[in-house]
Amino acid sequence: MHWADHTAQTLKERGESQVCASGITPSGEFHIGHIREILSAEMIHRACLDIGLKSKYIFIVDSMDPLRRVYDFLSPSYQKYIGVPLAFIPAPDSNGEPDKKRGSYAEYFLNPFLTSLERIGVIPEIVMNHEVYAQGKFASKIDIAINKKEEIREIIENISGRELPVDWFPYSPIGSDGSMDGVKVTKYEKPYVYWIDKNGVEGISDINKAEGKLPWRIDWAARWGIHNITSEPAGKDHGSAGGSYDTGIPICRLLGSEPPKKMVYEWIQIKGMGPMSSSKGVTIGPVEALELVPPQILRYIIARSKVNRHIDFDTGDTLFEMADEYERLLSESINVRDEEMTRRQRIAKETNNGALRLSQIKRGDNPKDSWAGVSFRHLALLAQIKNDDDDVWKSLQKSGHIEDKPAKILQVRLERMRNWINGPHFPEDSKIKIQKELSTLASENITSHQIKFIYNLKNKFIICEWDENVINNQIRDSAKEVDLKIKDAYLALYWLLINKNKGPKIAAIISELQRNDIIKIFETVF
RNA sequence: GGGCCUGUAGCUUAGUCAGGUAGAGCGACGGGCUUUUAACCCGUCGGCCGCGGGUUCGAAUCCCGUCAGGCCCGCCA
């Protein structure tokens, strides 16, 4: 069974109605790792719906979280916003300067991410945490937290092993300058928290308004109750022993609600895509990823991996493998009869089908409709040797991949493929590089017999029609005339033209190149 | 120091929760397609399931120990 389905089964025991949630702090650019946070929860949500439970998926934006430090992409003028909730800070302009016209810091980073989410079919109910505070929904939790301050302190100290300062208080009011740093609480009289900030200014915060917030560990535990969250997968940073998940569970109960069951997912790591990018520290964002990869396959990368396995995301060979695996599973699903399968094979099939189901953009879409019918590798190859899309389609018709016109999904896929090939993330090994002259490696592998063939072929190439079929016939004729095995003839051409011992149809490559260029390369042999 | 996760074929892994003859893909190799392939089809090779012990009629699976790798415990998913 797929992990999301399994989780849904477990949740069913808890009740008919589920709320799956993710929470992310919009402190900077979103990246591919956040996709796992989102999709882990969203797939559980879908799995719940699929077994007939009621479920909703909410995305809580930690807009009330303070700016921690001045990040590299921010100008030093952000210094004054440290400790200020991200919802109340202006967004940076292209120089990293605060610019009030751009809206809030939180929304500035959030919005493009939401666009990406929509493209992978994730339409969450957005909850801006600062609004929840402003609506007074945190008030009762804040009140309990303050009244049970010592119990909470004990939980955090015992479980996390961390010692809290003597003047620790389970509520951080916003000071006179907007920052929560260095604000000391002096008194609590429901619903008012009295304080004195680091500038010596005294003030009052109303717990019914967004005039302060609960510290992270309590905030998280409180929101589980406020939104009735039943499932919230968390990153391993929160999940490790003594982390915020472990303290959150008893705190949530103390605040009067039943917490979700702990679920921890592993990180996505970005594997270097070759020496160039890894040293430059290129990270890949969801927007960028979606320009290369079809949305179903991006979802599949998350769906196929168990939550506790880390994922090496890279835009090189593994992307080929995952994409082709997706295609293969789609076309395979009718292979074996169920009764002929062993228990293990059945489990594997069930899990795979679950992954495919959850990889669709819209819940309920038939996975088969996302089948392009051509492997990534093959398309990558055609895209490189055929500059015109129509020639790609012709080639696919000829090879029997498609019957007549390419489906929309295939057209889009080719477009993305061209982006990938022309961008920095395409793996070197998969690139076809046309040689300018005979390489040393090639000269070591070409025999005198093969040189005779090339000489013969050159003379034909000077006069023949420049068409793929004609060219191919010339190659075969040439080989026969000098009594060379066809296979060795092709081998010679591979070595000479792309410096490898194998490759795509060589006639296709040659026909895409200029006659004169080919002749020139040939002449470097003699 | 505390803890989590992982270790199965050259590579990526399924199977571990509910113990019952070790599955798959990629790669490699071979063959076919009377036109080559990084297309397509067929086949072959390849695993002391990290190591040692225990429980069991039976262990990749449960228990104990051990080694190796990755990661988290300073609000970065």
Side-chain angles (χ1 to χ4, degrees), chain A residues 437-438 443 446-459 462 496 518-526:
Chain A
E437 55 183 26
L438 181 73
S443 68
I446 295 181
T447 64
S448 56
H449 196 169
Q450 285 167 317
I451 291 174
K452 232 165 93 187
F453 153 73
I454 290 168
Y455 186 79
N456 191 12
L457 183 60
K458 191 199 85 174
N459 290 331
I462 291 172
L496 178 58
I518 293 289
I519 306 284
K520 267 186 213 157
I521 303 166
F522 276 25
E523 280 169 346
T524 64
V525 179
F526 318 125

Side-chain angles (χ1 to χ4, degrees), chain A residues 80 104 189 264 270 272 278 332 338-339 361 363 400 420 467 473 488:
Chain A
K80 64 170 180 278
S104 83
E189 245 170 38
V264 178
I270 297 159
S278 61
E332 247 180 19
D338 279 15
E339 51 269 30
I361 300 175
R363 189 176 80 90
W420 188 20
D467 165 86
N473 287 330
D488 290 329

Side-chain angles (χ1 to χ4, degrees), chain A residues 21-26 37 60-66 68 129 133 138 145 152 156 160 162 164 168-172 180 212-224 229 232-240 242-249 251-252 255 265:
Chain A
S22 311
I24 299 180
T25 309
E37 160 88 25
I60 301 176
V61 182
D62 289 320
S63 52
M64 198 62 184
D65 282 20
R68 281 281 139 203
N129 212 28
Y133 276 99
F138 269 98
I152 292 178
I156 293 177
S160 77
R162 212 167 47 154
L164 297 171
W168 177 83
F169 197 79
Y171 179 80
S172 310
M180 295 184 278
K213 78 181 285 285
L214 293 165
W216 159 245
R217 281 175 189 256
I218 308 170
D219 180 297
W220 198 21
R223 69 168 80 151
W224 285 337
I229 292 166
E232 180 170 356
K236 61 193 291 183
D237 52 337
H238 298 308
S240 62
S244 42
Y245 224 125
D246 286 353
T247 53
I249 287 168
I251 293 173
C252 182
L255 299 180
Y265 62 86

Side-chain angles (χ1 to χ4, degrees), chain A residues 266-320:
Chain A
E266 262 283 353
W267 308 83
I268 292 186
Q269 291 171 0
I270 297 159
K271 216 157 87 178
M273 314 98 174
M276 285 169 36
S277 43
S278 61
S279 58
K280 284 178 185 166
V282 179
T283 61
I284 187 156
V287 183
E288 203 180 350
L290 280 167
E291 273 164 21
L292 315 175
V293 194
Q296 294 92 343
I297 287 170
L298 191 57
R299 289 185 67 105
Y300 179 68
I301 289 168
I302 307 297
R304 72 189 283 280
S305 309
K306 292 196 291 194
V307 275
N308 62 356
R309 310 283 297 219
H310 82 251
I311 297 176
D312 278 320
F313 185 81
D314 87 272
T315 52
D317 282 338
T318 41
L319 187 51
F320 271 124

Side-chain angles (χ1 to χ4, degrees), chain A residues 14 19 21 58 60 132 137-138 140-141 144 214 218-232 248-249 251-260:
Chain A
R14 191 178 159 152
V19 178
I58 61 176
I60 301 176
V132 183
K137 290 183 183 163
F138 269 98
S140 66
K141 299 288 185 189
I144 303 173
L214 293 165
I218 308 170
D219 180 297
W220 198 21
R223 69 168 80 151
W224 285 337
I226 292 168
H227 305 290
N228 296 311
I229 292 166
T230 51
S231 175
E232 180 170 356
I249 287 168
I251 293 173
C252 182
R253 294 203 174 106
L254 194 68
L255 299 180
S257 305
E258 184 54 25

Side-chain angles (χ1 to χ4, degrees), chain A residues 144-168:
Chain A
I144 303 173
I146 294 175
N147 289 324
K148 298 193 173 176
K149 179 182 147 191
E150 288 313 313
E151 284 160 88
I152 292 178
R153 174 201 290 277
E154 208 173 301
I155 290 170
I156 293 177
E157 290 191 335
N158 282 345
I159 295 179
S160 77
R162 212 167 47 154
E163 206 170 308
L164 297 171
V166 197
D167 59 353
W168 177 83

Side-chain angles (χ1 to χ4, degrees), chain A residues 236-503:
Chain A
K236 61 193 291 183
D237 52 337
H238 298 308
S240 62
S244 42
Y245 224 125
D246 286 353
T247 53
I249 287 168
I251 293 173
C252 182
R253 294 203 174 106
L254 194 68
L255 299 180
S257 305
E258 184 54 25
K261 190 164 173 269
K262 183 173 176 179
M263 181 172 186
V264 178
Y265 62 86
E266 262 283 353
W267 308 83
I268 292 186
Q269 291 171 0
I270 297 159
K271 216 157 87 178
M273 314 98 174
M276 285 169 36
S277 43
S278 61
S279 58
K280 284 178 185 166
V282 179
T283 61
I284 187 156
V287 183
E288 203 180 350
L290 280 167
E291 273 164 21
L292 315 175
V293 194
Q296 294 92 343
I297 287 170
L298 191 57
R299 289 185 67 105
Y300 179 68
I301 289 168
I302 307 297
R304 72 189 283 280
S305 309
K306 292 196 291 194
V307 275
N308 62 356
R309 310 283 297 219
H310 82 251
I311 297 176
D312 278 320
F313 185 81
D314 87 272
T315 52
D317 282 338
T318 41
L319 187 51
F320 271 124
E321 271 161 39
M322 287 178 192
D324 287 345
E325 180 180 284
Y326 179 87
E327 292 282 318
R328 181 174 51 79
L329 289 180
L330 278 181
S331 48
E332 247 180 19
S333 39
I334 18 150
N335 254 353
V336 196
R337 283 165 188 274
D338 279 15
E339 51 269 30
E340 285 168 6
M341 289 198 277
T342 64
R343 176 174 158 268
R344 284 172 190 172
Q345 284 172 318
R346 249 197 331 273
I347 291 171
K349 187 184 166 184
E350 231 174 76
T351 308
N352 287 338
N353 285 345
L356 291 178
R357 192 185 89 237
L358 293 164
S359 297
Q360 301 315 305
I361 300 175
K362 263 176 64 189
R363 189 176 80 90
D365 278 357
N366 187 347
K368 302 227 171 198
D369 294 338
S370 67
W371 188 56
V374 184
S375 78
F376 253 51
R377 278 182 206 280
H378 189 51
L379 193 62
L381 174 132
L382 292 177
Q384 285 185 86
I385 58 177
K386 307 279 188 191
N387 293 318
D388 190 343
D389 286 5
D390 281 338
D391 289 337
V392 173
W393 310 138
K394 271 182 213 154
S395 172
L396 287 173
Q397 281 160 5
K398 217 175 128 190
S399 59
H401 284 92
I402 57 176
E403 291 196 348
D404 44 4
K405 282 184 181 168
K408 180 87 178 100
I409 190 152
L410 190 53
Q411 293 179 25
V412 177
R413 194 160 293 189
L414 178 61
E415 191 186 314
R416 287 210 173 86
M417 183 57 76
R418 293 204 190 275
N419 287 339
W420 188 20
I421 290 166
N422 297 323
H425 299 298
F426 194 73
E428 280 299 309
D429 286 353
S430 303
K431 276 187 189 161
I432 295 169
K433 273 178 289 198
I434 304 298
Q435 304 295 302
K436 292 256 182 297
E437 55 183 26
L438 181 73
S439 72
T440 34
L441 189 64
S443 68
E444 283 165 14
N445 284 285
I446 295 181
T447 64
S448 56
H449 196 169
Q450 285 167 317
I451 291 174
K452 232 165 93 187
F453 153 73
I454 290 168
Y455 186 79
N456 191 12
L457 183 60
K458 191 199 85 174
N459 290 331
K460 291 184 186 297
F461 273 2
I462 291 172
I463 48 167
C464 80
E465 193 193 333
W466 209 242
D467 165 86
E468 184 177 330
N469 274 322
V470 176
I471 288 171
N472 197 44
N473 287 330
Q474 302 296 330
I475 293 171
R476 302 181 66 80
D477 290 348
S478 241
K480 275 180 207 154
E481 282 165 26
V482 299
D483 202 25
L484 182 70
K485 272 162 65 187
I486 297 288
K487 191 169 184 172
D488 290 329
Y490 284 113
L491 211 52
L493 291 173
Y494 284 129
W495 277 119
L496 178 58
L497 294 177
I498 60 174
N499 200 28
K500 288 178 183 176
N501 65 349
K502 61 184 169 185

